[in-house]
Amino acid sequence: MHKSALSEVDPQIAEAIYNETQRLASGLELIASENYVSEAVLEAMGSVFTNKYAEGYPGRRYYGGCEFVDVVERLAQDRAKQLFHCDHVNVQPHSGAQANMSVYLAALKPGDTILGMDLSHGGHLTHGHPLNFSGKYFNVVPYGVDKETERIDYKELERLAHEHRPKMIICGASAYPRTIDFERIAAIARAVDALVLADIAHIAGLVAAGLHPSPIPHADFVTSTTHKTLRGPRSGIAMCTEKHSKELDRAVFPGVQGGPLVHIIAAKAVCFHEALQPGFKAYQAQVVKNASILAETLRNAGFRLVSGGTDNHLILVDVSSKGLTGKIAEKALEKAGITVNKNTIPFDKNPPLISSGIRIGTPALTTRGMREEEMQKIGTWIAEVLSAVDDTGLQERIRLEVERLCHNFPLYQSRLQRYDKASSI
Ligand code: PLP
């Protein structure tokens, strides 16, 4: 059996990678922010571009030998522009957090007031959480969802905008199952002379496919991760109108980052290329359909869903409606081979590490080819496991069923077959 360079040099890391590949292949990945990249994306990430320093931008580098880096970065820029129809894009942010930090650096000064969605209502740490740089350097006014509808309270957002006159309104979310009205938020911002940052990290794939309204025509800045619904490498991008392009580029480099991760930019370019293919729209449509079927199955099993359901790729289940905490539910499901994450729900009475909800998303399983029938089956298994969280026999039975199902939807098979664990690692 062929031994890889990695298994020769570092068998411990090789074994961990093998085990992770096996874990991905044999379990149900329902974490809403995760996905499985293609072999082409993985190949670009593992390329020799990791060797290269390329501070600066195409045609204006601080290092020699960047002619092929420029090819890669320009392709990534052109494809991102084609995908999102934006004026300007910076493809260098290492992550979603750094994309957001770059926008803040480009547009704000320390002490400025920003309006951001509360983490516990579905927002992200970088939208003003006290422990994050955004909460430390800016005067944050949080907004959230309406207690009854559990949808963004646009009227309250408007009231807060008029009361506090923020420099910027940040919209977009990590755990919000409904369509976001970017146009309405932008109109609120315009009325008080505030800038708009739309963070589409979670819904970027849906936006690219035209299945969620795009913020591009309305926002000054749009940031995203590339590894969630967009199905690219773990990274970020920042887009803006032409007016802000110089400030944004200066903020990413040299403001927030040093050398770009060129191998990751290459992988982002591949991801954008894949997202421009006709099959990507069908994939995103299935992601949304799968989420709605899973939501319906869980609702029929008696679970309360935050906001009553979903318009996008994720569902927030209030497990306290069954006397559970998110922590207990996450652990029980993990034992049955089903990976979700505990999540606070709006107005949660539990702290984040306990929480009253679980967040479930369909991007990864849809990539595997699972559809309505599988979603019904999985929803039923989730309900069964959560009806008896201490029943280890039940968890084991479902784990075996999960493995059988996964066997029919193979993942990274060639990677698992390439090395025989016993003889090569
Ligand atoms: N913004 C939103 C809305 C997110 O959901 C996330 C990640 O979960 C981020 C930003 C941060 O992305 P990263 O983890 O790549 O820094």
PDB file of all heavy atoms in Angstrom, residues 95-97 100 124 126-127 173-174 199 201-202 225 227-228 235, ligand 1:
ATOM      1  N   SER A  95     -10.369  35.435   7.055  1.00  0.00           N
ATOM      2  CA  SER A  95     -11.579  34.832   7.627  1.00  0.00           C
ATOM      3  C   SER A  95     -12.715  35.857   7.623  1.00  0.00           C
ATOM      4  O   SER A  95     -12.488  37.029   7.282  1.00  0.00           O
ATOM      5  CB  SER A  95     -11.309  34.404   9.072  1.00  0.00           C
ATOM      6  OG  SER A  95     -11.217  35.573   9.878  1.00  0.00           O
ATOM      7  N   GLY A  96     -13.878  35.405   8.044  1.00  0.00           N
ATOM      8  CA  GLY A  96     -15.018  36.317   8.145  1.00  0.00           C
ATOM      9  C   GLY A  96     -14.767  37.410   9.169  1.00  0.00           C
ATOM     10  O   GLY A  96     -15.118  38.579   8.959  1.00  0.00           O
ATOM     11  N   ALA A  97     -14.151  37.044  10.291  1.00  0.00           N
ATOM     12  CA  ALA A  97     -13.889  38.028  11.344  1.00  0.00           C
ATOM     13  C   ALA A  97     -12.937  39.108  10.828  1.00  0.00           C
ATOM     14  O   ALA A  97     -13.125  40.301  11.085  1.00  0.00           O
ATOM     15  CB  ALA A  97     -13.293  37.336  12.571  1.00  0.00           C
ATOM     16  N   ASN A 100     -14.683  41.530   8.512  1.00  0.00           N
ATOM     17  CA  ASN A 100     -15.447  42.529   9.267  1.00  0.00           C
ATOM     18  C   ASN A 100     -14.531  43.565   9.910  1.00  0.00           C
ATOM     19  O   ASN A 100     -14.805  44.769   9.887  1.00  0.00           O
ATOM     20  CB  ASN A 100     -16.309  41.848  10.333  1.00  0.00           C
ATOM     21  CG  ASN A 100     -17.504  41.148   9.710  1.00  0.00           C
ATOM     22  OD1 ASN A 100     -17.827  41.384   8.539  1.00  0.00           O
ATOM     23  ND2 ASN A 100     -18.163  40.284  10.460  1.00  0.00           N
ATOM     24  N   HIS A 124     -23.547  37.922  15.197  1.00  0.00           N
ATOM     25  CA  HIS A 124     -22.228  37.298  15.348  1.00  0.00           C
ATOM     26  C   HIS A 124     -21.383  38.094  16.327  1.00  0.00           C
ATOM     27  O   HIS A 124     -21.598  39.293  16.505  1.00  0.00           O
ATOM     28  CB  HIS A 124     -21.524  37.205  13.988  1.00  0.00           C
ATOM     29  CG  HIS A 124     -20.252  36.416  14.051  1.00  0.00           C
ATOM     30  ND1 HIS A 124     -19.008  37.001  14.051  1.00  0.00           N
ATOM     31  CD2 HIS A 124     -20.040  35.075  14.154  1.00  0.00           C
ATOM     32  CE1 HIS A 124     -18.082  36.055  14.131  1.00  0.00           C
ATOM     33  NE2 HIS A 124     -18.683  34.882  14.194  1.00  0.00           N
ATOM     34  N   THR A 126     -18.582  39.368  16.032  1.00  0.00           N
ATOM     35  CA  THR A 126     -17.940  40.548  15.428  1.00  0.00           C
ATOM     36  C   THR A 126     -18.927  41.685  15.152  1.00  0.00           C
ATOM     37  O   THR A 126     -18.544  42.696  14.580  1.00  0.00           O
ATOM     38  CB  THR A 126     -17.245  40.170  14.104  1.00  0.00           C
ATOM     39  OG1 THR A 126     -18.210  39.536  13.255  1.00  0.00           O
ATOM     40  CG2 THR A 126     -16.064  39.240  14.338  1.00  0.00           C
ATOM     41  N   HIS A 127     -20.177  41.497  15.539  1.00  0.00           N
ATOM     42  CA  HIS A 127     -21.171  42.565  15.328  1.00  0.00           C
ATOM     43  C   HIS A 127     -21.346  43.399  16.593  1.00  0.00           C
ATOM     44  O   HIS A 127     -22.341  44.101  16.732  1.00  0.00           O
ATOM     45  CB  HIS A 127     -22.512  41.983  14.880  1.00  0.00           C
ATOM     46  CG  HIS A 127     -22.426  41.222  13.577  1.00  0.00           C
ATOM     47  ND1 HIS A 127     -23.514  40.664  12.957  1.00  0.00           N
ATOM     48  CD2 HIS A 127     -21.370  40.943  12.770  1.00  0.00           C
ATOM     49  CE1 HIS A 127     -23.136  40.058  11.835  1.00  0.00           C
ATOM     50  NE2 HIS A 127     -21.845  40.218  11.709  1.00  0.00           N
ATOM     51  N   ALA A 173     -26.428  37.520   9.990  1.00  0.00           N
ATOM     52  CA  ALA A 173     -26.569  36.728  11.210  1.00  0.00           C
ATOM     53  C   ALA A 173     -25.912  35.368  11.105  1.00  0.00           C
ATOM     54  O   ALA A 173     -25.578  34.905  10.015  1.00  0.00           O
ATOM     55  CB  ALA A 173     -28.053  36.555  11.503  1.00  0.00           C
ATOM     56  N   SER A 174     -25.764  34.750  12.286  1.00  0.00           N
ATOM     57  CA  SER A 174     -25.205  33.387  12.351  1.00  0.00           C
ATOM     58  C   SER A 174     -26.274  32.350  12.679  1.00  0.00           C
ATOM     59  O   SER A 174     -26.054  31.157  12.481  1.00  0.00           O
ATOM     60  CB  SER A 174     -24.142  33.302  13.443  1.00  0.00           C
ATOM     61  OG  SER A 174     -23.091  34.154  13.161  1.00  0.00           O
ATOM     62  N   ASP A 199     -23.355  41.418   6.470  1.00  0.00           N
ATOM     63  CA  ASP A 199     -22.471  40.259   6.625  1.00  0.00           C
ATOM     64  C   ASP A 199     -23.265  39.024   6.200  1.00  0.00           C
ATOM     65  O   ASP A 199     -24.143  38.560   6.934  1.00  0.00           O
ATOM     66  CB  ASP A 199     -22.041  40.182   8.097  1.00  0.00           C
ATOM     67  CG  ASP A 199     -21.179  38.967   8.398  1.00  0.00           C
ATOM     68  OD1 ASP A 199     -21.085  38.075   7.540  1.00  0.00           O
ATOM     69  OD2 ASP A 199     -20.625  38.909   9.510  1.00  0.00           O
ATOM     70  N   ALA A 201     -22.162  35.984   5.672  1.00  0.00           N
ATOM     71  CA  ALA A 201     -21.365  34.768   5.879  1.00  0.00           C
ATOM     72  C   ALA A 201     -22.199  33.486   5.721  1.00  0.00           C
ATOM     73  O   ALA A 201     -21.789  32.555   5.037  1.00  0.00           O
ATOM     74  CB  ALA A 201     -20.714  34.803   7.258  1.00  0.00           C
ATOM     75  N   HIS A 202     -23.365  33.455   6.360  1.00  0.00           N
ATOM     76  CA  HIS A 202     -24.148  32.217   6.341  1.00  0.00           C
ATOM     77  C   HIS A 202     -24.876  31.998   5.023  1.00  0.00           C
ATOM     78  O   HIS A 202     -24.980  30.882   4.544  1.00  0.00           O
ATOM     79  CB  HIS A 202     -25.153  32.214   7.504  1.00  0.00           C
ATOM     80  CG  HIS A 202     -24.654  31.394   8.646  1.00  0.00           C
ATOM     81  ND1 HIS A 202     -24.999  30.083   8.824  1.00  0.00           N
ATOM     82  CD2 HIS A 202     -23.792  31.692   9.629  1.00  0.00           C
ATOM     83  CE1 HIS A 202     -24.381  29.607   9.874  1.00  0.00           C
ATOM     84  NE2 HIS A 202     -23.637  30.569  10.392  1.00  0.00           N
ATOM     85  N   THR A 225     -17.984  34.915   4.796  1.00  0.00           N
ATOM     86  CA  THR A 225     -17.043  33.806   4.840  1.00  0.00           C
ATOM     87  C   THR A 225     -17.215  33.072   3.514  1.00  0.00           C
ATOM     88  O   THR A 225     -18.193  33.295   2.787  1.00  0.00           O
ATOM     89  CB  THR A 225     -17.341  32.835   5.997  1.00  0.00           C
ATOM     90  OG1 THR A 225     -18.695  32.410   5.889  1.00  0.00           O
ATOM     91  CG2 THR A 225     -17.119  33.484   7.350  1.00  0.00           C
ATOM     92  N   HIS A 227     -16.722  29.540   3.469  1.00  0.00           N
ATOM     93  CA  HIS A 227     -16.738  28.096   3.761  1.00  0.00           C
ATOM     94  C   HIS A 227     -18.082  27.555   4.210  1.00  0.00           C
ATOM     95  O   HIS A 227     -18.179  26.399   4.599  1.00  0.00           O
ATOM     96  CB  HIS A 227     -15.687  27.772   4.820  1.00  0.00           C
ATOM     97  CG  HIS A 227     -15.702  28.704   6.006  1.00  0.00           C
ATOM     98  ND1 HIS A 227     -14.973  29.869   6.036  1.00  0.00           N
ATOM     99  CD2 HIS A 227     -16.353  28.642   7.184  1.00  0.00           C
ATOM    100  CE1 HIS A 227     -15.172  30.485   7.202  1.00  0.00           C
ATOM    101  NE2 HIS A 227     -16.015  29.752   7.907  1.00  0.00           N
ATOM    102  N   LYS A 228     -19.113  28.388   4.197  1.00  0.00           N
ATOM    103  CA  LYS A 228     -20.413  27.880   4.691  1.00  0.00           C
ATOM    104  C   LYS A 228     -21.243  27.467   3.474  1.00  0.00           C
ATOM    105  O   LYS A 228     -20.861  26.534   2.790  1.00  0.00           O
ATOM    106  CB  LYS A 228     -21.062  28.946   5.557  1.00  0.00           C
ATOM    107  CG  LYS A 228     -20.180  29.297   6.771  1.00  0.00           C
ATOM    108  CD  LYS A 228     -20.853  30.260   7.713  1.00  0.00           C
ATOM    109  CE  LYS A 228     -20.028  30.412   8.964  1.00  0.00           C
ATOM    110  NZ  LYS A 228     -19.247  31.643   9.024  1.00  0.00           N
ATOM    111  N   SER A 235     -12.312  30.804   4.882  1.00  0.00           N
ATOM    112  CA  SER A 235     -11.733  32.122   4.601  1.00  0.00           C
ATOM    113  C   SER A 235     -12.827  33.187   4.518  1.00  0.00           C
ATOM    114  O   SER A 235     -13.977  32.927   4.884  1.00  0.00           O
ATOM    115  CB  SER A 235     -10.955  32.050   3.279  1.00  0.00           C
ATOM    116  OG  SER A 235     -10.110  33.164   3.161  1.00  0.00           O
TER     117      SER A 235
HETATM  118  N1  PLP B   1     -19.964  36.621  10.380  1.00  0.00           N
HETATM  119  C1  PLP B   1     -20.931  35.698  10.540  1.00  0.00           C
HETATM  120  C2  PLP B   1     -22.354  36.100  10.323  1.00  0.00           C
HETATM  121  C3  PLP B   1     -20.605  34.391  10.895  1.00  0.00           C
HETATM  122  O1  PLP B   1     -21.570  33.490  11.081  1.00  0.00           O
HETATM  123  C4  PLP B   1     -19.239  34.061  11.090  1.00  0.00           C
HETATM  124  C5  PLP B   1     -18.825  32.704  11.474  1.00  0.00           C
HETATM  125  O2  PLP B   1     -19.481  31.924  12.036  1.00  0.00           O
HETATM  126  C6  PLP B   1     -18.281  35.065  10.938  1.00  0.00           C
HETATM  127  C7  PLP B   1     -18.676  36.329  10.565  1.00  0.00           C
HETATM  128  C8  PLP B   1     -16.828  34.818  11.240  1.00  0.00           C
HETATM  129  O3  PLP B   1     -16.211  33.989  10.344  1.00  0.00           O
HETATM  130  P1  PLP B   1     -14.807  33.272  10.721  1.00  0.00           P
HETATM  131  O4  PLP B   1     -15.134  32.181  11.656  1.00  0.00           O
HETATM  132  O5  PLP B   1     -14.300  32.840   9.375  1.00  0.00           O
HETATM  133  O6  PLP B   1     -13.936  34.329  11.317  1.00  0.00           O
END
